Amino acid sequence: MNILISIIVPVYNVESYLDRCIESLIQQTHKNIEVILVNDGSTDLSGSICDKHALKDKRIRVYHISNGGSSIARNYGLKKSKGDFIGFVDSDDWVKPNMFYELIKFATANDLKVVETSSTHSHLVQAGEPEESVINARIEDRHSALRRIISNAEFAVWRRIYHKSILKDRFFIEGILHQDVYYTIDILNEISNIGYFENQFYVYNIQNLTSIIRSDYSIKKLNSINAGAYVVEHTAHYGKDIQDLAKQYLCKFLTYHYDSLYFNTDLDQDGVHRKNIRNTIKKHYKVENSQFYSYAIVFLPPLLYKIFLTLNKERIKIQRKTLQLFQNV
C-alpha cells in the first residue's frame, strides 16, 4: 500500500519514554509514514531526543514550539501533515508493529473514514511479546460505535486513524483537558460507519505519574468540567439507549469532580461548584443504571457525603498498606 499516513506526536517532558515511542513508530510494518514530532516547549532532553531521531530517519519531522499544551501541539501537527490518513500517538505511549498496517488495510478495503483499535495498559505487556496472530475486526454503524465508546469512555483520539477529508479544518479546542471528548463526539456525528479492532495494538503507559491526567486535581481540571455535558447535549437526537449512556457518563464524570473538590476546597471555597454539580447529577441520574457514588451524592446531605468520602479514602489507604505488607512477606 502506497498510502501515506501522518502520525502526530505532541511531546512534552517525556525523556524517559520518548525513545520507546519513536522506535515503535519507525518500526511499523507500514513504511509510508511521516512522523510529526511537535516538541511543546519541553524543559528536559525531549527536544534533543526528537532531533536525534530525525537525523537517523528522514520520515521524521520535528517542530519546536513554545509550551501551550497538547491541543496546540496537535493542531500544529495537523497543519503540517500531508498524509492521506492521520493518526495521533501520545509521546509516553507506544504502538505495536502492525498497528498502522492493519488499520490502513481495513480502512481502504471497506472504504472507511475512521478505524479504531483497542488498547492495553503498559503493565500488561511483556517484553518481546509476539504480535496477535488472529485479526479480529468489524464494521460498526454510528449507533453501535457510540454505545461502545460512551459506555467505556473510549474517547481518546490516539485510538483511531482518520481520513484527511474528515479532519479538514477540524482542530482541537485549545487550553482545556478532555479535548478528545469533544473531538470524538463531533466526528462520530458526521460518519455512518467506523472500523473497530478488538486487537490491542496501542499500549497506554500508566507508569508516567507526571501525566496531566494522573496529576493532582487543579483549576485546569475543574475548567474541563463541561466535557461531560457536551456528550449529553450532542447525543440528544439519538435513541433512549444512547441518551441514557450519555447521562451515565455525565454523572460519573461529574462525580469525579465533586469528590475531588471535597479534598481541594480552596478551588471551591463557597461550595458553588459542588452545589451545581449535585443539582446536575440529580437532574440526570437514574436509579436503575447509575453508579453508587451518584446515588450517594443525590441522597446524602453534603456533610454526610463528606464524612462517607473521607472514611472511604482512609479505608482505601489502609487496604493498600495491607496489600503492600503481604507482598513484602
Side-chain angles (χ1 to χ4, degrees), residues 23-270:
E23 287 294 333
S24 76
L25 299 178
I26 62 179
Q27 291 172 10
Q28 287 295 297
T29 53
H30 182 83
K31 299 302 182 184
N32 194 18
I33 62 174
E34 60 170 7
V35 180
I36 301 174
L37 304 176
V38 184
N39 176 32
D40 185 32
S42 296
T43 57
D44 64 359
L45 295 176
S46 295
S48 59
I49 292 172
C50 290
D51 291 335
K52 174 191 72 176
H53 282 280
L55 289 174
K56 295 191 297 184
D57 194 319
K58 64 181 181 180
R59 298 174 300 171
I60 297 175
R61 288 190 283 141
V62 180
Y63 299 95
H64 300 278
I65 64 174
S66 299
N67 179 249
S70 62
S71 55
I72 290 176
R74 283 172 172 173
N75 287 343
Y76 193 95
L78 282 168
K79 293 171 185 175
K80 298 295 183 181
S81 63
K82 301 175 182 176
D84 303 295
F85 279 86
I86 294 169
F88 301 93
V89 173
D90 284 355
S91 53
D92 53 345
D93 301 336
W94 73 97
V95 298
K96 296 180 181 179
N98 284 340
M99 173 171 157
F100 289 107
Y101 171 79
E102 294 294 349
L103 267 59
I104 288 283
K105 183 173 73 170
F106 196 75
T108 53
N110 296 284
D111 193 26
L112 296 168
K113 301 291 186 184
V114 183
V115 179
E116 177 178 342
T117 177
S118 295
S119 63
T120 186
H121 286 171
S122 54
H123 71 289
L124 299 175
V125 178
Q126 302 296 323
E129 189 176 88
E131 285 269 5
E132 298 171 74
S133 57
V134 178
I135 299 300
N136 193 349
R138 64 177 181 266
I139 298 174
E140 295 179 334
D141 61 32
R142 182 195 300 159
H143 290 73
S144 298
L146 278 166
R147 282 193 291 269
R148 175 180 52 77
I149 289 168
I150 295 172
S151 61
N152 297 306
E154 295 175 336
F155 295 102
V157 295
W158 43 252
R159 296 178 174 278
R160 305 173 191 93
I161 59 167
Y162 310 84
H163 191 269
K164 62 182 179 181
S165 62
I166 202 72
L167 299 190
K168 186 178 181 182
D169 299 323
R170 186 187 301 280
F171 297 100
F172 293 90
I173 303 171
E174 297 184 352
I176 66 166
L177 298 178
H178 303 297
Q179 55 191 278
D180 294 30
V181 173
Y182 300 87
Y183 206 78
T184 297
I185 287 293
D186 286 348
I187 286 176
L188 287 172
N189 276 330
E190 285 193 20
I191 60 176
S192 299
N193 299 295
I194 182 174
Y196 177 67
F197 279 76
E198 292 189 7
N199 302 76
Q200 298 172 331
F201 289 127
Y202 192 99
V203 184
Y204 178 70
N205 180 15
I206 63 169
Q207 297 162 305
N208 183 9
L209 299 180
T210 63
S211 166
I212 186 65
I213 297 298
R214 290 184 290 279
S215 62
D216 293 336
Y217 197 75
S218 63
I219 190 65
K220 187 170 185 180
K221 290 189 176 183
L222 178 58
N223 289 339
S224 72
I225 203 166
N226 291 327
Y230 193 86
V231 177
V232 172
E233 292 164 6
H234 290 263
T235 57
H237 56 291
Y238 293 103
K240 184 178 180 298
D241 57 339
I242 291 177
Q243 290 180 36
D244 285 348
L245 286 171
K247 290 173 183 177
Q248 285 178 45
Y249 173 77
L250 172 62
C251 290
K252 186 175 181 180
F253 185 85
L254 290 179
T255 296
Y256 160 75
H257 287 280
Y258 191 81
D259 292 355
S260 297
L261 286 170
Y262 267 117
F263 297 114
N264 297 272
T265 52
D266 56 309
L267 299 178
D268 189 30
Q269 293 180 16
D270 54 6

